[in-house]
Structures are given as C-alpha cells and as structure tokens.
Amino acid sequence: QVQLEESGGGLVQAGGSLRLSCAASGQTFSTYRVGWFRQAPEKEREFVASIVWSSGSTSYADSVKGRFTISRDNAKNTVNLQMNSLKPEDTAVYYCASKRTVLSNYEYWGQGTQVTVSS
C-alpha cells in the first residue's frame, strides 16, 4: 500500500505561480511512476504530468508544456509540480497518483488539492 497526500493548492491570479507537493508513504519502493491529474467542475479527470520515480523521466500534457514542471525528491519521497503562468482554465482539483509497473493503471490516489486561478 502507498499513501499519497497533496498540498500547496490555493487561490492565485492569472499569470501567477503555485507549487504542489505530493508526499508518499508506505511501500514507496514499489513505485514506478507518479502522475498529476486534475478535474475541473463538470469535466472528466485529465492527465497533467508524470515522472518515473527511478530515472526522473517526465511527460506532460500539451496544455501545460512549458508552464508546469514535475520533479521528485527521492530522499523525501515527494513529487512536486511547479505551475507557472497559470490560467483560469487551470482551475481544478489536482490529484497525485502512483503506479507500480509500466503496464499497470494508477492504483493509489491522494485526496486532491484545490487550485483556483482568477482572471
């Protein structure tokens, strides 16, 4: 079992920045990849970014490329999402999730943290 807890959400004006953190505990040694997802009101959850725990290889949704940066701190078992140049359409609940293998689904999810970007 892996437990994930997000922090760092809040209210920010368009053009501003926020840094989200995802703290992992439990059987973190079995983690292959950690991802960030978001869900806006009345919309489906969508992928934002992910990082391979061991190598640091990253991937991003096109909508956030060049604005968001995902990173990990292996010593602290945390994954961070630096969000710059925020837009109102980035408003959503942000979730971190993890999976154990390349082919598995994301199995463990945090409770989410609200990000609101005002125009």
Side-chain angles (χ1 to χ4, degrees), residues 29-81:
F29 59 85
S30 63
T31 297
Y32 167 70
R33 184 183 289 267
V34 177
W36 283 96
F37 296 79
R38 65 187 182 187
Q39 187 166 20
E42 301 184 356
K43 291 189 177 181
E44 293 195 355
R45 186 171 58 198
E46 64 175 0
F47 168 77
V48 175
S50 69
I51 188 165
V52 176
W53 190 255
S54 59
S55 69
S57 177
T58 60
S59 63
Y60 297 91
D62 288 343
S63 59
V64 306
K65 278 181 183 176
R67 300 189 297 123
F68 290 11
T69 302
I70 189 170
S71 62
R72 91 258 195 246
D73 185 332
N74 294 57
K76 296 182 179 179
N77 283 339
T78 59
V79 173
N80 300 308
L81 185 68

Coordinates of all heavy atoms in Angstrom, one line a residue, residues 29-81:
F29 N 8.9 1.9 -2.2 CA 9.9 1.3 -3.0 C 9.3 0.6 -4.3 O 10.1 0.3 -5.2 CB 10.7 0.3 -2.2 CG 9.8 -0.8 -1.6 CD1 9.5 -2.0 -2.3 CD2 9.3 -0.7 -0.3 CE1 8.7 -2.9 -1.8 CE2 8.4 -1.7 0.2 CZ 8.2 -2.8 -0.5
S30 N 8.1 0.3 -4.2 CA 7.4 -0.4 -5.4 C 6.9 0.6 -6.4 O 6.3 0.1 -7.4 CB 6.3 -1.3 -4.9 OG 5.3 -0.5 -4.3
T31 N 7.1 1.9 -6.2 CA 6.5 2.9 -7.2 C 7.3 2.9 -8.5 O 8.6 3.1 -8.4 CB 6.5 4.2 -6.5 OG1 5.7 4.2 -5.3 CG2 6.0 5.3 -7.5
Y32 N 6.6 2.9 -9.6 CA 7.3 3.1 -10.9 C 7.1 4.5 -11.4 O 8.1 5.1 -11.8 CB 6.7 2.1 -11.9 CG 7.1 2.4 -13.3 CD1 8.4 2.2 -13.7 CD2 6.2 3.0 -14.2 CE1 8.8 2.6 -15.0 CE2 6.6 3.3 -15.5 CZ 7.9 3.1 -15.9 OH 8.3 3.5 -17.2
R33 N 5.9 5.0 -11.3 CA 5.7 6.3 -11.9 C 4.7 7.0 -11.0 O 3.7 6.4 -10.5 CB 5.1 6.2 -13.3 CG 4.9 7.5 -14.0 CD 4.3 7.3 -15.4 NE 5.2 6.8 -16.4 CZ 6.0 7.5 -17.2 NH1 5.9 8.8 -17.2 NH2 6.8 6.8 -18.1
V34 N 4.9 8.3 -10.9 CA 3.9 9.2 -10.1 C 3.4 10.2 -11.1 O 4.1 10.8 -11.9 CB 4.6 9.9 -8.9 CG1 3.6 10.8 -8.3 CG2 5.1 8.8 -7.9
G35 N 2.1 10.4 -11.1 CA 1.5 11.4 -12.0 C 0.6 12.4 -11.3 O 0.2 12.2 -10.1
W36 N 0.4 13.5 -12.0 CA -0.5 14.5 -11.5 C -1.7 14.5 -12.5 O -1.5 14.5 -13.7 CB 0.1 15.9 -11.4 CG 1.0 16.1 -10.2 CD1 2.3 16.0 -10.2 CD2 0.5 16.5 -8.9 NE1 2.8 16.3 -8.9 CE2 1.7 16.6 -8.1 CE3 -0.7 16.8 -8.4 CZ2 1.7 17.0 -6.8 CZ3 -0.7 17.2 -7.0 CH2 0.4 17.3 -6.2
F37 N -2.9 14.6 -12.0 CA -4.1 14.7 -12.7 C -4.9 15.8 -12.2 O -4.7 16.3 -11.1 CB -4.9 13.4 -12.7 CG -4.2 12.2 -13.2 CD1 -3.2 11.5 -12.5 CD2 -4.5 11.7 -14.5 CE1 -2.5 10.4 -13.1 CE2 -3.9 10.6 -15.0 CZ -2.9 10.0 -14.3
R38 N -5.9 16.3 -13.0 CA -6.8 17.3 -12.5 C -8.2 17.1 -13.0 O -8.4 16.5 -14.0 CB -6.3 18.7 -12.9 CG -6.3 19.0 -14.4 CD -5.6 20.3 -14.7 NE -5.6 20.6 -16.1 CZ -5.0 21.7 -16.7 NH1 -4.3 22.5 -15.9 NH2 -5.1 21.9 -18.0
Q39 N -9.1 17.6 -12.2 CA -10.5 17.5 -12.6 C -11.2 18.8 -12.3 O -11.3 19.3 -11.1 CB -11.2 16.4 -11.9 CG -12.6 16.1 -12.4 CD -13.2 14.8 -11.9 OE1 -12.7 14.2 -11.0 NE2 -14.2 14.3 -12.6
A40 N -11.7 19.5 -13.4 CA -12.5 20.7 -13.2 C -13.9 20.4 -13.1 O -14.4 19.3 -13.5 CB -12.2 21.6 -14.5
P41 N -14.7 21.3 -12.6 CA -16.2 21.0 -12.4 C -16.8 20.6 -13.7 O -16.6 21.2 -14.7 CB -16.7 22.4 -11.9 CG -15.5 23.0 -11.2 CD -14.3 22.6 -12.0
E42 N -17.6 19.5 -13.6 CA -18.3 19.0 -14.8 C -17.5 18.6 -15.9 O -18.0 18.5 -17.1 CB -19.4 20.1 -15.2 CG -20.4 20.5 -14.1 CD -21.4 21.4 -14.6 OE1 -21.4 21.8 -15.7 OE2 -22.3 21.7 -13.8
K43 N -16.2 18.3 -15.6 CA -15.3 17.8 -16.7 C -14.7 16.5 -16.2 O -14.6 16.2 -15.0 CB -14.2 18.8 -17.0 CG -14.7 20.0 -17.7 CD -13.6 20.9 -18.2 CE -14.0 22.1 -19.0 NZ -12.9 22.9 -19.5
E44 N -14.2 15.7 -17.1 CA -13.6 14.5 -16.8 C -12.1 14.8 -16.3 O -11.5 15.8 -16.6 CB -13.5 13.5 -18.0 CG -14.9 13.0 -18.4 CD -14.8 11.9 -19.3 OE1 -13.7 11.5 -19.7 OE2 -15.9 11.3 -19.7
R45 N -11.7 13.8 -15.5 CA -10.3 14.0 -15.0 C -9.3 13.8 -16.1 O -9.5 13.0 -17.0 CB -10.0 12.9 -14.0 CG -8.7 12.9 -13.3 CD -8.6 11.9 -12.1 NE -8.9 10.6 -12.6 CZ -9.2 9.6 -11.8 NH1 -9.4 9.8 -10.5 NH2 -9.4 8.4 -12.3
E46 N -8.3 14.6 -16.1 CA -7.3 14.6 -17.2 C -5.9 14.5 -16.7 O -5.6 15.0 -15.6 CB -7.5 15.8 -18.1 CG -7.2 17.2 -17.4 CD -7.2 18.3 -18.4 OE1 -7.5 18.1 -19.6 OE2 -7.0 19.5 -18.0
F47 N -5.0 14.0 -17.5 CA -3.6 13.9 -17.2 C -2.9 15.2 -17.3 O -3.2 16.0 -18.2 CB -3.0 12.9 -18.1 CG -1.5 12.8 -18.1 CD1 -0.8 12.2 -17.1 CD2 -0.7 13.5 -19.1 CE1 0.6 12.2 -17.1 CE2 0.6 13.5 -19.1 CZ 1.3 12.8 -18.1
V48 N -2.0 15.5 -16.3 CA -1.3 16.7 -16.4 C 0.2 16.5 -16.6 O 0.8 17.0 -17.5 CB -1.4 17.5 -15.0 CG1 -0.6 18.7 -15.0 CG2 -2.9 17.9 -14.8
A49 N 0.8 15.6 -15.8 CA 2.2 15.4 -15.9 C 2.6 14.1 -15.1 O 1.8 13.7 -14.2 CB 3.1 16.5 -15.4
S50 N 3.7 13.5 -15.5 CA 4.1 12.3 -14.7 C 5.6 12.2 -14.7 O 6.3 12.8 -15.6 CB 3.5 11.0 -15.3 OG 4.1 10.7 -16.5
I51 N 6.2 11.4 -13.8 CA 7.6 11.3 -13.7 C 7.9 9.8 -13.2 O 7.2 9.2 -12.4 CB 8.2 12.3 -12.6 CG1 9.7 12.2 -12.6 CG2 7.6 12.0 -11.2 CD1 10.3 13.4 -11.9
V52 N 8.9 9.2 -13.9 CA 9.4 7.9 -13.5 C 10.2 8.1 -12.2 O 11.2 8.8 -12.2 CB 10.2 7.2 -14.6 CG1 10.7 5.9 -14.2 CG2 9.3 7.1 -15.9
W53 N 9.8 7.3 -11.2 CA 10.5 7.5 -9.9 C 12.0 7.3 -9.9 O 12.7 8.0 -9.3 CB 9.8 6.6 -8.9 CG 10.2 6.8 -7.5 CD1 11.0 6.1 -6.7 CD2 9.7 7.9 -6.7 NE1 11.1 6.6 -5.4 CE2 10.3 7.8 -5.4 CE3 8.8 9.0 -6.9 CZ2 10.1 8.6 -4.3 CZ3 8.6 9.8 -5.8 CH2 9.2 9.7 -4.6
S54 N 12.4 6.2 -10.6 CA 13.8 5.9 -10.6 C 14.7 6.8 -11.5 O 15.8 7.2 -11.1 CB 14.0 4.4 -11.0 OG 13.5 4.2 -12.3
S55 N 14.2 7.0 -12.7 CA 15.0 7.7 -13.7 C 14.8 9.2 -13.7 O 15.6 10.0 -14.2 CB 14.8 7.2 -15.1 OG 13.5 7.5 -15.5
G56 N 13.6 9.7 -13.3 CA 13.3 11.1 -13.4 C 12.7 11.5 -14.8 O 12.5 12.7 -15.0
S57 N 12.5 10.5 -15.7 CA 12.0 10.8 -17.0 C 10.5 11.4 -16.8 O 9.8 10.9 -16.0 CB 11.9 9.6 -17.8 OG 11.3 9.8 -19.0
T58 N 10.2 12.5 -17.6 CA 9.0 13.2 -17.4 C 8.1 13.2 -18.7 O 8.7 13.0 -19.8 CB 9.2 14.6 -17.0 OG1 10.0 15.3 -18.0 CG2 10.0 14.7 -15.6
S59 N 6.9 13.4 -18.5 CA 5.9 13.6 -19.6 C 4.9 14.6 -19.2 O 4.6 14.7 -18.0 CB 5.3 12.3 -20.1 OG 4.5 11.8 -19.0
Y60 N 4.4 15.4 -20.2 CA 3.4 16.4 -19.9 C 2.3 16.4 -20.9 O 2.4 16.1 -22.0 CB 4.1 17.8 -20.0 CG 5.2 18.0 -19.0 CD1 6.5 17.7 -19.2 CD2 4.9 18.6 -17.7 CE1 7.5 17.9 -18.3 CE2 5.9 18.8 -16.8 CZ 7.2 18.4 -17.1 OH 8.2 18.6 -16.2
A61 N 1.1 16.9 -20.4 CA 0.0 17.2 -21.3 C 0.4 18.4 -22.1 O 1.1 19.3 -21.7 CB -1.2 17.4 -20.5
D62 N -0.1 18.5 -23.4 CA 0.3 19.6 -24.2 C -0.2 20.9 -23.6 O 0.5 22.0 -23.8 CB -0.4 19.4 -25.6 CG 0.3 18.3 -26.4 OD1 1.4 17.9 -26.1 OD2 -0.4 17.9 -27.4
S63 N -1.3 20.9 -22.9 CA -1.8 22.1 -22.4 C -1.0 22.8 -21.3 O -1.2 24.0 -21.0 CB -3.2 21.9 -21.8 OG -3.2 20.9 -20.8
V64 N 0.0 22.0 -20.7 CA 0.8 22.6 -19.6 C 2.3 22.6 -20.0 O 3.1 23.1 -19.2 CB 0.6 21.8 -18.3 CG1 -0.9 21.7 -18.0 CG2 1.2 20.4 -18.4
K65 N 2.7 22.1 -21.1 CA 4.1 22.1 -21.5 C 4.6 23.5 -21.6 O 4.0 24.4 -22.1 CB 4.2 21.4 -22.9 CG 4.3 19.9 -22.9 CD 4.5 19.4 -24.3 CE 4.5 17.9 -24.3 NZ 4.6 17.3 -25.6
G66 N 5.8 23.7 -21.0 CA 6.4 25.0 -21.0 C 6.0 25.8 -19.8 O 6.6 26.9 -19.5
R67 N 4.9 25.4 -19.1 CA 4.4 26.2 -17.9 C 4.6 25.4 -16.6 O 4.9 26.0 -15.6 CB 3.0 26.6 -18.1 CG 2.7 27.4 -19.4 CD 1.3 27.9 -19.4 NE 0.3 26.8 -19.4 CZ -0.7 26.7 -18.5 NH1 -0.8 27.5 -17.5 NH2 -1.5 25.6 -18.6
F68 N 4.4 24.1 -16.7 CA 4.5 23.3 -15.5 C 5.7 22.4 -15.5 O 6.2 22.0 -16.6 CB 3.3 22.3 -15.4 CG 1.9 23.0 -15.1 CD1 1.8 24.4 -15.2 CD2 0.8 22.2 -14.8 CE1 0.5 25.0 -14.9 CE2 -0.4 22.8 -14.6 CZ -0.5 24.1 -14.6
T69 N 6.3 22.2 -14.3 CA 7.5 21.3 -14.2 C 7.3 20.3 -13.1 O 7.0 20.7 -12.0 CB 8.7 22.1 -14.0 OG1 8.9 23.1 -15.0 CG2 9.9 21.2 -13.9
I70 N 7.4 19.0 -13.4 CA 7.3 18.0 -12.4 C 8.7 17.6 -12.0 O 9.6 17.5 -12.8 CB 6.4 16.8 -12.9 CG1 6.1 15.8 -11.8 CG2 7.1 16.1 -14.1 CD1 5.1 14.7 -12.1
S71 N 8.9 17.3 -10.7 CA 10.2 16.9 -10.2 C 10.0 16.0 -9.0 O 8.9 15.9 -8.4 CB 11.0 18.1 -9.8 OG 10.4 18.8 -8.7
R72 N 11.0 15.2 -8.6 CA 10.9 14.4 -7.5 C 12.1 14.5 -6.6 O 13.2 14.9 -7.0 CB 10.7 12.9 -7.8 CG 12.0 12.1 -8.0 CD 12.4 11.9 -9.4 NE 13.4 10.9 -9.5 CZ 14.6 11.2 -9.9 NH1 15.0 12.4 -10.2 NH2 15.4 10.2 -10.1
D73 N 11.8 14.3 -5.3 CA 12.9 14.3 -4.3 C 12.8 12.9 -3.6 O 12.0 12.6 -2.8 CB 12.6 15.4 -3.2 CG 13.7 15.5 -2.2 OD1 14.4 14.5 -1.9 OD2 13.9 16.6 -1.7
N74 N 13.7 12.0 -4.1 CA 13.7 10.6 -3.6 C 13.9 10.5 -2.1 O 13.3 9.7 -1.5 CB 14.8 9.8 -4.4 CG 14.5 9.7 -5.8 OD1 14.3 10.7 -6.5 ND2 14.3 8.5 -6.3
A75 N 14.8 11.4 -1.6 CA 15.1 11.3 -0.2 C 13.9 11.6 0.7 O 13.7 11.1 1.8 CB 16.3 12.3 0.2
K76 N 13.1 12.5 0.2 CA 11.9 12.9 1.0 C 10.6 12.2 0.5 O 9.5 12.5 1.0 CB 11.7 14.5 0.8 CG 12.8 15.3 1.5 CD 12.5 16.8 1.4 CE 13.6 17.6 2.0 NZ 13.4 19.1 1.9
N77 N 10.7 11.4 -0.5 CA 9.6 10.7 -1.1 C 8.5 11.7 -1.5 O 7.3 11.5 -1.1 CB 9.0 9.7 -0.1 CG 9.8 8.4 0.0 OD1 10.6 8.1 -1.0 ND2 9.7 7.7 1.1
T78 N 8.9 12.7 -2.1 CA 7.9 13.7 -2.6 C 8.0 13.9 -4.1 O 9.1 13.8 -4.7 CB 8.0 15.0 -1.9 OG1 9.3 15.6 -2.1 CG2 7.8 14.9 -0.4
V79 N 6.9 14.3 -4.7 CA 6.9 14.7 -6.1 C 6.2 16.1 -6.1 O 5.2 16.3 -5.5 CB 6.1 13.7 -7.0 CG1 5.9 14.3 -8.4 CG2 6.8 12.4 -7.0
N80 N 6.9 17.0 -6.8 CA 6.4 18.4 -6.8 C 5.9 18.8 -8.2 O 6.4 18.2 -9.2 CB 7.5 19.3 -6.4 CG 8.0 19.1 -5.0 OD1 7.2 19.0 -4.1 ND2 9.3 18.9 -4.9
L81 N 5.0 19.7 -8.3 CA 4.5 20.2 -9.6 C 4.6 21.7 -9.5 O 3.8 22.4 -8.8 CB 3.1 19.8 -9.8 CG 2.5 20.2 -11.2 CD1 3.3 19.4 -12.3 CD2 1.0 19.9 -11.3

